[in-house]
Amino acid sequence: MAAVSLSVSTVKPLGDRVFVKVSASEEKTAGGLYLPDTAKEKPQVGEVVALGAGKRNDDGSRQELEVKVGDKVLYSKYAGTDVKLGTDEYVLLSEKDILAIVA
C-alpha cells in the first residue's frame, strides 16, 4: 500500500480512528548484523498522537476510546493507512486494529 503524503499542520481523526506516530524500525539484528532498507519489516509499534471522538452507538451517544494520547500501542501488521507528514511517518487506524497498550 502506498503512503499518503500530506502538507498540513493538523490531522483530526474521525469516529473511532486513532492517529499513531510510527516508531523507528530496527537497524540491526540481535546478533549485530545491520539490515538494509529492503530487509526491514514495517514496525507495529507507535505512539498515539490524536484521537477521534469515539464510535457512535445505536442510541446516538459516543463510546469512549480505550487508548489516550501518549499511549504506546501495538497494532496489526497490515492495518490502517500510512500517512507521511514532512519526514515523519504515521498510520491512521481504527481502534479495533490496536492489539495492546505496551509499557
Side-chain angles (χ1 to χ4, degrees):
M1 169 178 12
V4 176
S5 293
L6 299 174
S7 58
V8 296
S9 59
T10 306
V11 175
K12 173 74 173 133
L14 301 176
D16 69 338
R17 301 289 195 282
V18 179
F19 200 58
V20 175
K21 183 174 183 179
V22 177
S23 296
S25 60
E26 293 295 322
E27 295 289 326
K28 62 181 181 175
T29 66
L33 298 174
Y34 286 93
L35 296 170
D37 289 338
T38 56
K40 292 179 188 173
E41 288 193 27
K42 178 182 171 186
Q44 293 174 256
V45 176
E47 181 181 344
V48 176
V49 294
L51 300 171
K55 183 178 178 181
R56 192 168 298 275
N57 296 324
D58 293 335
D59 64 358
S61 65
R62 295 242 182 219
Q63 181 177 344
E64 189 175 317
L65 297 172
E66 292 185 50
V67 296
K68 60 185 180 303
V69 173
D71 282 348
K72 194 170 185 181
V73 295
L74 174 70
Y75 54 88
S76 298
K77 190 171 199 153
Y78 299 107
T81 301
D82 297 325
V83 179
K84 192 165 187 172
L85 294 176
T87 58
D88 295 328
E89 292 184 23
Y90 299 87
V91 63
L92 185 60
L93 300 164
S94 179
E95 186 185 28
K96 68 181 171 120
D97 294 325
I98 296 176
L99 305 174
I101 298 172
V102 294

